[in-house]
Amino acid sequence: MKIIPVLDILNQTVVRGVAGKRDLYQPLQSNLTASSDPLDLARAIRAEFGLSEFYVADLDAILHQRQNRELYQGLLAEGYTFLLDCGLRTTADCAALQEYPGISIVAGLETLAGPEELATLVDQWGSERTVFSLDLKEGQPVVSTAAGNPFAELASPLDVAELAREQGVTQMILLDLAQVGTGQGTGTEELCQTLHTRYPELTLITGGGIRNAAELQAQAVLGAEGVLVASALHDGRLGRDVVLSLS
């Protein structure tokens, strides 16, 4: 199993995401370092757990269309690779990032203009560097309100996943924003198992609300190949020995 630490960036600071209530996010408090600077936290995580691949949610870009490109370059310069959600609406939004081989682009259902843009992204970036994020809230798809977005016509997460697959997607994140940072599980267990059974070739990444080692192992049994983790790494619920044994 691949354990992928999360860096939620807001105002160029790592914040603790809780239940998708972004207006309430506060700078992260971690047992690993007193700093909430993204590079300091990345260094601390690599030193403690040996992990150097991250999931970066650039909330400055998602909410305000301000990409933290200097931060991306800083992470890459120190040898980190990452899945980047930068609030992609169209493929053009990330064109300047394609020259950085350490970045894989996350196309989030929440912001993406529609499946045609997803197909274009896969064509330009390749399926190995494109990850579709099936964004949910309390089990329901969170879809961009872009005019004419076919994703908005689909009520079922399974239907959304199927349409994304038809665009060439081979990697998918299942993330229920209402579960993030709650320590109450991912809420996507049934969806993960169903997708894994129907499409065993699809690489699935889950996350949000991971409680402990048993929760990580449960995600693997359901078919997840990767798990996004934040709070449990910082508050000590997942220690070094556990992470090294699972990753």
Side-chain angles (χ1 to χ4, degrees):
M1 162 163 288
K2 182 181 291 186
I3 297 172
I4 307 172
V6 175
L7 298 176
D8 287 316
I9 312 297
L10 185 62
N11 297 323
Q12 302 181 344
T13 298
V14 179
V15 295
R16 184 183 179 199
V18 181
K21 299 177 181 178
R22 292 167 177 161
D23 55 331
L24 300 179
Y25 286 7
Q26 297 295 318
L28 178 68
Q29 295 184 343
S30 173
N31 292 343
L32 303 175
T33 174
S35 175
S36 56
D37 175 80
L39 277 171
D40 288 342
L41 277 157
R43 294 173 188 132
I45 289 170
R46 181 161 62 182
E48 180 68 14
F49 303 109
L51 301 173
S52 58
E53 181 179 0
F54 287 77
Y55 171 91
V56 175
D58 187 349
L59 295 170
D60 292 316
I62 293 170
L63 298 175
H64 308 298
Q65 295 79 59
R66 297 195 303 265
Q67 294 179 7
N68 284 299
R69 294 188 186 177
E70 288 187 8
L71 169 60
Y72 311 159
Q73 293 169 345
L75 288 167
L76 294 170
E78 295 197 19
Y80 301 103
T81 60
F82 50 97
L83 313 178
L84 174 64
D85 185 348
C86 59
L88 187 72
R89 288 157 177 77
T90 69
T91 305
D93 294 341
C94 63
L97 304 177
Q98 196 167 359
E99 64 187 90
Y100 303 124
I103 296 177
S104 294
I105 285 293
V106 175
L109 180 64
E110 177 186 10
T111 57
L112 193 66
E116 289 187 3
E117 286 296 338
L118 182 58
T120 301
L121 185 70
V122 173
D123 181 63
Q124 293 187 9
W125 281 70
S127 60
E128 71 282 356
R129 292 183 67 193
T130 303
V131 185
F132 176 69
S133 183
L134 208 176
D135 300 326
L136 307 168
K137 194 159 190 179
E138 298 180 349
Q140 298 302 308
V142 180
V143 184
S144 164
T145 57
N149 182 356
F151 280 131
E153 301 173 6
L154 305 176
S156 164
L158 286 173
D159 290 341
V160 172
E162 177 61 33
L163 184 54
R165 285 185 70 258
E166 291 172 2
Q167 313 315 310
V169 166
T170 61
Q171 303 180 80
M172 191 174 299
I173 294 171
L174 309 179
L175 188 64
D176 194 315
L177 299 173
Q179 299 295 114
V180 169
T182 64
Q184 297 178 6
T186 66
T188 61
E189 292 85 356
E190 182 178 349
L191 178 61
C192 182
Q193 187 172 40
T194 300
L195 286 172
H196 178 63
T197 300
R198 291 188 184 183
Y199 313 112
E201 75 286 355
L202 182 64
T203 298
L204 295 171
I205 301 170
T206 59
I210 294 296
R211 292 167 282 202
N212 48 40
E215 178 75 23
L216 285 175
Q217 293 167 330
Q219 297 300 307
V221 171
L222 294 168
E225 295 185 31
V227 181
L228 307 179
V229 184
S231 300
L233 295 176
H234 296 288
D235 63 20
R237 282 177 287 140
L238 290 175
R240 175 183 174 85
D241 291 344
V242 169
V243 170
L244 291 178
S245 70
L246 293 174
S247 59

